Amino acid sequence: MFRTALRTVLAHKARLLMTVLAVMLGVAFVSGTLVFTDTLGNAFNKQSAKSYKDVAVSVTTYYSDDSGTDGQKQEPGLSPKVLDEIGAIDGVASVTPRVDGFAGVADPDGKLIGNGWSNTGTNFAPGENGEDPAYDFSEGTGPTEAGQVALDKDTASRGEYKVGGPVRVATNGPVKEYTLSGIFTTEDGAVNAGGSLVLFDPLVAQKLFLKPGYFQMANVTATPGASDTKIRGEIESLVSEDAEDAEVQTGKQLADQQAADIERELSGINQMLLAFAAIALFVGIFLISNTFTMLVAQRTKELALLRAVGASRRQVKRSVMAEALIVGLVASTIGFVLGVGLAVGLRSAMGQFGAKVPAGPLMITPVAVAAAFGVGVVITLIAAWLPARRAAKIPPVAAMSSVHAVATMKSLVLRNSIGAVLTLIGAAGIIAGASMGKDGKFIIGAGAFFSLVGIIVLIPLLSRPIIALVQPLLNRLYGVAGKLAGQNAVRNPRRTGATASALAIGLTLVTGLTTVGVTLGTAIDKATTDNIKADYMITMAGGGGGLDESAVKALEKAPGVSAVSPQRASYLVIDGKDSSASAVTPGDIEQLLTLKTETGSLDSLSGDAIAVASDTAKSRGWKTGDTVTVKYEDDKTARLKIGATYEPNEFASPTLISTDLVAPHEERPHTPEVYVSMDGGATEANELALVDALGDNPAISVADQQDIRNQFGGMINTALNIMYGLLGMALIIAVLGVVNTLAMSVFERQQEIGMLRAIGLDRRRVKRMIRLEAVVISVFGALVGVGLGTFLAWAIGETIRGSIPGYVLVLPWERIGIFLVLAGLVGVLAALWPARSAAKLNMLTAIKTE
């Protein structure tokens, strides 16, 4: 029986190639994902271990400007005294202190190198030999004067900087020009992420990022034979006397923590790629099942003959399953090879996007190999089980006379009953989850799974009434060819349903997420338009921190500015409760943000008063005119009035206070954004004026309202692009599935097609009939997917409605129309080969075919 199965596989290479392609795509993503993440994880783990190989213990402080529990002011970092005490501990060989923060440099076009969050500046920390153990200089030396900096090799290359030449460095304040003293190589994570690293003289770094004389952290090396754990314990005892917020770790702990962080970061990529694989394999099940159903139909006489000469049902079933095993092994082998290639390609692509991937070997682990082959073979066997079971049930006499076994009424009733129950359970779960709000997401997910499975089971039943709706249109537009196409599409509902399921699954996901994405984008656009009056929002590029006070003053003096206000983050204690507040400029903030006053007047901000969002005032029991006790960050208190309440605004804090009241109490104010309005609105000239006023600082972003909308909608668009990738994969597999279905249909209807040709149906109309049949099946699957996807989008929207002001479900009719057109295109493409084959049939030979 195995030899029979092998001969059968070789005899139907074209049919089985489609199955191989379906399995191959899924296996390629599974193996590629595992090899890619294993390779990156191994490379980064080795890099982190190398980075900390000489570090015995690391001390990191998280000091704030608040007073300690005993009322005394905490130190803002590691002082020289503490560093000397650490250095005096028995077994400590050296102490290397660090202080860091945001620092960026520009490329030749004036654009920031990196993306903001990965642009770092720190201090050069030379040892007794004058070298910093963390950096290897390929040119020049480290900065030893206030006017010098050093750059990492990649940044210097991208910026075309040379040793001895000028470098303009941007921090959160004005851009300053330094002399490049040296270029170094480093294993720093920020640089490997595509960012930049600037080394400053220690005193300059302390002034920029903390306070003169203090460092944020220190790396400790040990003498040979010293115990890292013992040193760690002594340092913990030492620093705990000065602060509660200090973390002391051994070098091994740091390396392990970084390895865990890397694994967590890679898990997002891992899950996304495995989602591609899951979609491909799930959709592929229907294609594989159709393929083996077609092969069984083509071999009814052969199988009957095997039964007649003594083969048992079990042997026939094993024969079909053996074919599936062979196909699964071949597909898994090809898919695994493609997956390794995919991993190599992804690794190279990361370099193209600016991320520096550490050198390391390609990691092909036994787990990746086992997963790839296990998934490919198991999926193929599962999909082939039902066709194999049907093959074993064909009676020899019926098969010999070419009377195909049809589904019994009992089996159809059972199938439809199961499908209906699953669909109802799923729909009930979706509705229940939607009614629960934000707590119902998992219930909706479970309901979506049951609904999708139920709809797939019911698709054969649904095909007849839905296709019947378009039958009159086919008759009117295409005559006999259209009529026959509609009838052929529902001739074998099970096969039609299995084919349509491929598109239904893909379009359920894509329609649902597209609808949610478009709805969220519309809500964000509305929130931006309704809540922001300002022409521009000024921030640090890439979330690189807060703006310096000098930037705010520069904007106030810029030509053409009609209103400007920072939104400075201030954390106050009001009547004994922590409160999030924004320090703003009275008089200007009303021109920049939409603040609809409910009681009182915002003019009161100019005096000793605060303004509070109405929902906050209600929850705290405040009303206009009440006096509250406000404690500032320096622990000083004041009695302020509530001068106004206003409708909540997504871009404004629940409490507003004048910058004049807060400024005397904040040593290092944090200003995430500044809003600006200008005479003439947002124009190219006005934007240039702001850029010039800020000193052409590459680290500062000047965004108009459209930029703000794009910024907040960027993640949504990225997610949608990923989903469109899933749609593309579903379309590829759906094309193969429709080709299979049409090829099977043509094979079963050879005699019928010959008769149609004999009575006058020419080749052109035969091709049209096959093409229309493919389009009908494809659009049917698309309609099912669009309907279910829209229902899921509504349910998901109900869970996030409360957290998205102005959320109203928006159906993206244009995109849905594109999806349906693509589905029709799938049908046309898939019908090319079967239609050509049908048209070329010799009518006399076809008529004689049994």
Side-chain angles (χ1 to χ4, degrees):
M1 295 303 292
F2 180 78
R3 287 197 300 270
T4 302
L6 185 59
R7 284 198 302 269
T8 303
V9 169
L10 296 176
H12 299 89
K13 292 184 283 292
R15 300 284 189 271
L16 292 170
L17 177 61
M18 300 175 192
T19 300
V20 168
L21 288 173
V23 179
M24 181 185 71
L25 285 173
V27 172
F29 273 102
V30 171
S31 57
T33 297
L34 296 176
V35 172
F36 175 67
T37 52
D38 287 342
T39 299
L40 256 63
N42 176 70
F44 280 118
N45 289 342
K46 285 186 175 179
Q47 181 191 62
S48 62
K50 181 180 177 182
S51 301
Y52 295 112
K53 68 176 183 177
D54 296 325
V55 177
V57 178
S58 175
V59 187
T60 305
T61 60
Y62 304 96
Y63 294 82
S64 66
D65 292 328
D66 297 333
S67 295
T69 54
D70 57 359
Q72 296 182 352
K73 196 75 172 179
Q74 289 187 0
E75 297 282 1
L78 296 171
S79 66
K81 176 187 174 185
V82 172
L83 292 172
D84 289 341
E85 290 175 347
I86 292 174
I89 292 175
D90 186 36
V92 171
S94 65
V95 181
T96 305
R98 302 282 181 199
V99 59
D100 58 34
F102 172 80
V105 295
D107 62 17
D109 296 326
K111 303 297 183 181
L112 184 68
I113 295 174
N115 45 30
W117 61 267
S118 61
N119 298 113
T120 308
T122 188
N123 60 288
F124 177 63
E128 294 181 359
N129 59 358
E131 296 180 357
D132 191 320
Y135 311 107
D136 295 323
F137 279 82
S138 56
E139 296 181 51
T141 60
T144 55
E145 301 176 6
Q148 295 180 336
V149 294
L151 295 177
D152 68 89
K153 185 177 180 179
D154 289 344
T155 300
S157 175
R158 291 160 68 182
E160 300 180 4
Y161 295 109
K162 304 296 182 183
V163 173
V167 180
R168 296 176 75 244
V169 180
T171 56
N172 60 352
V175 179
K176 295 182 180 180
E177 188 170 288
Y178 298 85
T179 299
L180 184 62
S181 66
I183 297 173
F184 57 88
T185 58
T186 176
E187 298 295 336
D188 186 272
V191 176
N192 289 324
S196 62
L197 181 61
V198 183
L199 296 183
F200 296 92
D201 175 77
L203 183 58
V204 173
Q206 289 172 336
K207 289 179 179 178
L208 285 173
F209 305 129
L210 193 59
K211 188 175 182 180
Y214 291 91
F215 293 91
Q216 292 165 327
M217 65 167 293
N219 289 332
V220 177
T221 60
T223 58
S227 169
D228 295 353
T229 304
K230 181 175 179 296
I231 294 173
R232 174 176 174 268
E234 293 191 34
I235 294 177
E236 278 185 332
S237 301
L238 179 65
V239 298
S240 63
E241 297 175 3
D242 296 311
E244 298 176 359
D245 298 326
E247 186 176 14
V248 185
Q249 295 175 289
T250 64
K252 185 178 185 306
Q253 288 175 322
L254 277 173
D256 291 343
Q257 178 181 319
Q258 192 169 85
D261 292 340
I262 291 168
E263 186 176 348
R264 187 166 53 251
E265 291 294 325
L266 291 176
S267 66
I269 301 175
N270 201 338
Q271 291 171 7
M272 180 187 72
L273 294 176
L274 287 177
F276 277 81
I279 295 297
L281 292 169
F282 189 51
V283 175
I285 287 176
F286 302 98
L287 171 58
I288 299 165
S289 181
N290 259 2
T291 299
F292 279 94
T293 299
M294 178 174 64
L295 292 175
V296 169
Q298 289 177 333
R299 295 165 49 209
T300 50
K301 284 189 175 182
E302 177 188 331
L303 294 174
L305 183 59
L306 289 173
R307 292 292 310 282
V309 298
S312 66
R313 287 188 175 186
R314 181 176 296 179
Q315 286 177 311
V316 170
K317 184 177 179 181
R318 285 178 182 174
S319 173
V320 178
M321 295 300 287
E323 294 176 41
L325 176 62
I326 294 169
V327 171
L329 287 172
V330 171
S332 297
T333 302
I334 300 173
F336 183 78
V337 173
L338 288 177
V340 173
L342 177 64
V344 173
L346 287 172
R347 184 172 177 174
S348 300
M350 289 186 68
Q352 296 297 321
F353 285 106
K356 181 182 176 183
V357 180
L362 194 68
M363 297 297 295
I364 302 178
T365 64
V367 173
V369 176
F373 280 85
V375 165
V377 172
V378 169
I379 289 295
T380 308
L381 291 176
I382 290 174
W385 183 78
L386 278 177
R389 187 168 176 267
R390 292 193 198 108
K393 285 186 174 183
I394 297 176
V397 175
M400 292 290 285
S401 58
S402 297
V403 179
H404 299 289
V406 297
T408 64
M409 182 60 67
K410 179 181 178 182
S411 67
L412 292 174
V413 170
L414 179 63
R415 177 191 178 112
N416 294 335
S417 299
I418 293 174
V421 170
L422 289 174
T423 303
L424 288 174
I425 291 174
I430 293 172
I431 295 172
S435 65
M436 294 173 64
K438 63 180 181 180
D439 298 324
K441 294 177 182 177
F442 290 107
I443 296 177
I444 289 176
F449 174 77
F450 281 106
S451 292
L452 190 58
V453 174
I455 290 292
I456 290 170
V457 174
L458 282 177
I459 271 185
L461 178 66
L462 297 173
S463 63
R464 289 186 180 276
I466 293 179
I467 293 177
L469 293 175
V470 299
Q471 185 72 67
L473 182 63
L474 293 173
N475 296 347
R476 187 177 303 113
L477 295 178
Y478 301 104
V480 174
K483 181 178 182 179
L484 291 172
Q487 292 174 348
N488 292 334
V490 294
R491 174 176 294 187
N492 191 327
R494 284 188 172 185
R495 193 163 62 224
T496 297
T499 305
S501 296
L503 273 173
I505 294 167
L507 281 172
T508 294
L509 294 173
V510 174
T511 302
L513 291 172
T514 297
T515 303
V516 172
V518 169
T519 301
L520 285 175
T522 303
I524 290 171
D525 282 352
K526 187 175 186 299
T528 303
T529 304
D530 291 351
N531 294 323
I532 299 179
K533 296 179 182 177
D535 296 319
Y536 296 100
M537 181 175 74
I538 317 298
T539 60
M540 294 298 291
L547 293 158
D548 188 74
E549 192 64 20
S550 60
V552 180
K553 293 178 180 178
L555 290 169
E556 291 172 346
K557 297 176 183 178
V561 171
S562 58
V564 58
S565 173
Q567 188 161 220
R568 182 183 299 166
S570 299
Y571 298 94
L572 310 177
V573 179
I574 304 178
D575 281 351
K577 291 185 177 180
D578 292 337
S579 302
S580 176
S582 289
V584 298
T585 302
D588 282 9
I589 192 63
E590 303 97 304
Q591 303 176 49
L592 301 166
L593 296 180
T594 302
L595 298 172
K596 298 178 181 178
T597 306
E598 293 191 356
T599 60
S601 172
L602 291 174
D603 293 337
S604 60
L605 287 172
S606 300
D608 292 341
I610 60 174
V612 184
S614 57
D615 55 351
T616 301
K618 182 178 179 180
S619 66
R620 302 284 289 270
W622 294 335
K623 59 182 183 297
T624 302
D626 288 351
T627 301
V628 294
T629 301
V630 176
K631 183 167 76 170
Y632 298 103
E633 290 186 7
D634 61 357
D635 287 342
K636 292 183 179 179
T637 59
R639 298 283 290 172
L640 303 178
K641 287 186 177 181
I642 297 178
T645 61
Y646 55 89
E647 290 184 11
N649 183 305
E650 287 300 300
F651 292 86
S653 293
T655 302
L656 299 179
I657 188 170
S658 170
T659 52
D660 293 335
L661 292 177
V662 173
H665 306 284
E666 294 181 335
E667 184 178 352
R668 298 178 71 90
H670 178 68
T671 306
E673 63 265 339
V674 178
Y675 292 104
V676 178
S677 281
M678 303 190 73
D679 297 331
T683 65
E684 188 175 344
N686 282 340
E687 182 175 341
L688 183 60
L690 293 179
V691 171
D692 290 341
L694 293 166
D696 196 17
N697 191 328
I700 297 180
S701 167
V702 179
D704 60 20
Q705 287 206 10
Q706 184 58 51
D707 293 330
I708 297 171
R709 289 196 289 268
N710 294 341
Q711 175 184 338
F712 286 100
M715 292 182 65
I716 295 172
N717 292 331
T718 299
L720 287 180
N721 289 334
I722 292 173
M723 288 304 106
Y724 294 146
L726 291 177
L727 173 62
M729 181 175 297
L731 288 176
I732 292 172
I733 298 176
V735 167
L736 300 176
V738 177
V739 169
N740 254 358
T741 295
L742 294 177
M744 188 188 310
S745 179
V746 170
F747 166 76
E748 290 180 351
R749 289 154 42 204
Q750 288 185 59
Q751 189 177 59
E752 176 187 317
I753 293 172
M755 291 293 295
L756 290 172
R757 290 289 314 282
I759 62 175
L761 193 68
D762 59 21
R763 289 185 174 183
R764 181 174 58 85
R765 282 188 287 183
V766 169
K767 288 182 180 181
R768 179 181 295 172
M769 176 184 71
I770 302 297
R771 284 197 296 266
L772 288 174
E773 181 181 347
V775 170
V776 167
I777 293 173
S778 299
V779 173
F780 163 60
L783 287 172
V784 172
V786 166
L788 184 55
T790 303
F791 179 47
L792 287 175
W794 165 79
I796 294 169
E798 292 300 304
T799 66
I800 59 177
R801 178 187 293 274
S803 57
I804 307 292
Y807 183 96
V808 178
L809 185 67
V810 177
L811 293 179
W813 293 110
E814 291 182 1
R815 299 194 190 190
I816 290 175
I818 292 173
F819 297 157
L820 294 176
V821 170
L822 285 175
L825 183 61
V826 165
V828 173
L829 293 175
L832 291 177
W833 173 57
R836 186 168 177 269
S837 299
K840 290 176 67 176
L841 283 174
N842 183 290
M843 65 181 74
L844 295 178
T845 303
I847 290 172
K848 291 189 297 181
T849 301
E850 294 183 2

